[in-house]
Amino acid sequence: MKLYIDTDHIVSELDELAGFSDAPAPAVTRIVFSPADLQARAWLKEKCAAAGLGVREDAVGNCFARWAGTDPSLPAVASGSHIDAIPHSGRFDGTVGVVGMLEAMRALQAAGFRPRRSIELIHFTSEEPTRFGLGCLGSRLLSGSLAAERAAALKDTHGATLDEVREAAGFTGGLESVALPPNRYHAFVELHIEQGPLLERTQVPLGVVTAIAAPATLDIAVQGEGGHAGGVLMPYRRDALAAAAEIVLAVEAAAKSTGAIDTVGTVGICEVFPGAVNSVPSQVRITADVRDVQLERRNAVLAAIGERCQAVAASRRVTVTCDVLNADAPAECSVLVMGALEAACRELEVAYRSMVSRAYHDSLFMARIAPTAMLFIPCRDGVSHRPDEFATPEDIARGTLVLAHALARLAG
Ligand code: HGY
Ligand code: MN
Ligand code: MN
């Protein structure tokens, strides 16, 4: 089947989508349920309707755009990703998988393809943890991996609950209605930029993902004693930020201590109170992001960080709490779906390689309810979550073409 991917159309749609942002170009900031996010959602729904797809949204704002198959009784084939973007990031993370899937469906329609199984584009709500502290909110709820009550009570950085924010954005109904029955989907595929340098470094244009690393997030609070920066002499201090600094270095050391290149540890948030130059910090909140493709190794790092927290608390006479916000299992990708992607690459005579995903994605949770795999395209210098994130139109079009052929195989 000869498919035509309209590269210019994809590029112009990605440009339009990047325009819905709270940061000046080339940066993109699109926080879930912000006005920019709601504008982007409306734009996407219009595009899906224009492609003749049946569009529905669930109580948390996951959006489903369906191309009805000739046998609607069969579980559908789905593909998609996210369009929310962390502060001051790039325009390709997530969006390539949403706009690319839309174009893949349009190309199949234009070629006269008639899917037996329905084909569905999914736009997942809140893949990024920015607003509610927990990533993949939409896919966690879809896969039954997050209890509705816990989700409803999540608070954003302004103290508003997920329920308050989503209802204000027009998404109503109980969150328990979001979970999908098992076997809803025959297969799920996600097209995404690699967010790493491997494909570019090895000069292979496509990656078929075999496994997705296991992410975990720790919320660490340090309570010391404040005071005047001149009046409190060093022997009497219980400086919360100095204690937190030891913990930040402990996160790095724990990740390095496994000796495995697949173990990573990051402290990306550090909030200091009262935050005055001449006041000894009394409270600090830091978050640690720990990942590894191997669950046991990841959990050993979490345990080591917890121990160090208590050792620092004792040595500096501060109190430290270390709460696990999430500690997710890794995902193995499906032989069926990887096979469809590899067969599509061979049919199109496009080189590909197997690889793991070090970033997490909605696929991490979709893999719990459907055979799932991912298709990576290169990103320049492996850069992501930065304004200079970049993927070439050729790479995006190639990934879209392979996705379309794989969908035809899976839905045929
Ligand atoms: O953090 C991640 O891995 C994803 O980009 N949210
Ligand atoms: Mn991201
Ligand atoms: Mn992403």
Side-chain angles (χ1 to χ4, degrees):
M1 174 173 49
K2 183 89 182 98
L3 294 178
Y4 170 70
I5 300 298
D6 186 338
T7 308
D8 293 343
H9 196 184
I10 297 178
V11 170
S12 71
E13 287 182 330
L14 286 172
D15 284 347
E16 280 178 63
L17 188 46
F20 301 116
S21 167
D22 290 318
V28 176
T29 297
R30 191 161 50 240
I31 307 304
V32 67
F33 298 136
S34 64
D37 180 47
L38 298 181
Q39 288 160 14
R41 286 166 175 269
W43 173 88
L44 177 63
K45 286 192 290 183
E46 261 174 48
K47 289 284 177 179
C48 291
L53 305 176
V55 180
R56 77 172 182 90
E57 291 172 307
D58 67 16
V60 78
N62 291 312
C63 179
F64 307 83
R66 177 169 281 225
W67 176 10
T70 53
D71 186 349
S73 68
L74 292 173
V77 172
S79 177
S81 194
H82 62 100
I83 63 172
D84 60 326
I86 71 171
H88 305 292
S89 59
R91 59 175 57 197
F92 298 96
D93 174 7
T95 56
V96 161
V98 173
V99 173
M101 171 54 173
L102 184 55
E103 177 59 20
M105 293 166 97
R106 289 184 301 222
L108 288 166
Q109 288 171 344
F113 177 72
R114 291 288 298 125
R116 202 159 57 89
R117 297 175 182 277
S118 297
I119 297 179
E120 194 162 74
L121 162 61
I122 305 178
H123 153 226
F124 298 96
T125 271
S126 197
E127 190 271 352
E128 299 292 4
T130 312
R131 186 161 189 175
F132 292 99
L134 188 61
C136 297
L137 268 188
S139 50
R140 284 177 193 268
L141 284 163
L142 271 183
S143 60
S145 306
L146 175 65
E149 314 74 64
R150 183 181 167 210
L154 286 173
K155 289 200 172 158
D156 72 5
T157 40
H158 309 291
T161 66
L162 172 61
D163 263 1
E164 288 161 351
V165 175
R166 71 183 175 93
E167 284 161 10
F171 300 106
T172 54
L175 289 179
E176 61 287 344
S177 66
V178 173
L180 292 176
N183 311 319
R184 169 68 170 244
Y185 293 115
H186 171 64
F188 178 77
V189 202
E190 182 169 3
L191 173 65
H192 205 285
I193 55 171
E194 179 195 341
Q195 298 180 304
L198 191 63
L199 289 176
E200 188 180 63
R201 191 179 296 160
T202 56
Q203 299 194 331
V204 176
L206 286 171
V208 176
V209 174
T210 57
I212 302 170
T217 315
L218 297 177
D219 188 14
I220 301 169
V222 182
Q223 177 67 50
E225 187 175 48
H228 193 289
V232 181
L233 303 181
M234 297 312 280
Y236 308 109
R237 289 194 178 192
R238 296 192 301 118
D239 183 326
L241 183 52
E246 281 199 50
I247 294 170
V248 170
L249 291 174
V251 169
E252 182 185 55
K256 288 180 173 177
S257 70
T258 71
I261 195 70
D262 291 327
T263 318
V264 288
T266 313
V267 173
I269 294 176
C270 179
E271 293 161 350
V272 183
F273 181 82
V277 64
N278 55 352
S279 176
V280 178
S282 56
Q283 292 175 2
V284 172
R285 177 176 169 264
I286 57 177
T287 58
D289 175 309
V290 178
R291 307 182 193 199
D292 196 317
V293 291
Q294 224 198 61
L295 188 59
E296 303 67 37
R297 233 175 14 214
R298 194 277 315 271
N299 288 343
V301 170
L302 294 180
I305 293 167
E307 285 158 22
R308 274 300 293 142
C309 283
Q310 294 322 309
V312 169
S315 68
R316 287 181 170 271
R317 298 179 300 114
V318 296
T319 51
V320 180
T321 57
C322 181
D323 295 331
V324 179
L325 285 184
N326 65 287
D328 303 303
E332 292 296 319
C333 292
S334 144
V335 172
L336 166 78
V337 186
M338 289 189 289
L341 289 167
E342 290 162 357
C345 288
R346 286 193 297 272
E347 179 187 353
L348 294 162
E349 296 178 346
V350 175
Y352 67 91
R353 60 167 296 149
S354 298
M355 59 194 294
V356 300
S357 172
R358 300 187 187 287
Y360 62 74
H361 303 279
D362 292 304
S363 292
L364 181 68
F365 296 96
M366 289 303 286
R368 297 185 181 182
I369 55 170
T372 293
M374 296 188 73
L375 181 65
F376 276 173
I377 64 169
C379 49
R380 187 175 55 199
D381 301 332
V383 161
S384 181
H385 282 190
R386 280 180 10 194
D388 54 338
E389 179 183 274
F390 181 76
T392 67
E394 297 72 30
D395 283 332
I396 297 169
R398 185 183 298 110
T400 300
L401 181 62
V402 167
L403 174 66
H405 279 265
L407 289 171
R409 287 171 178 275
L410 291 164

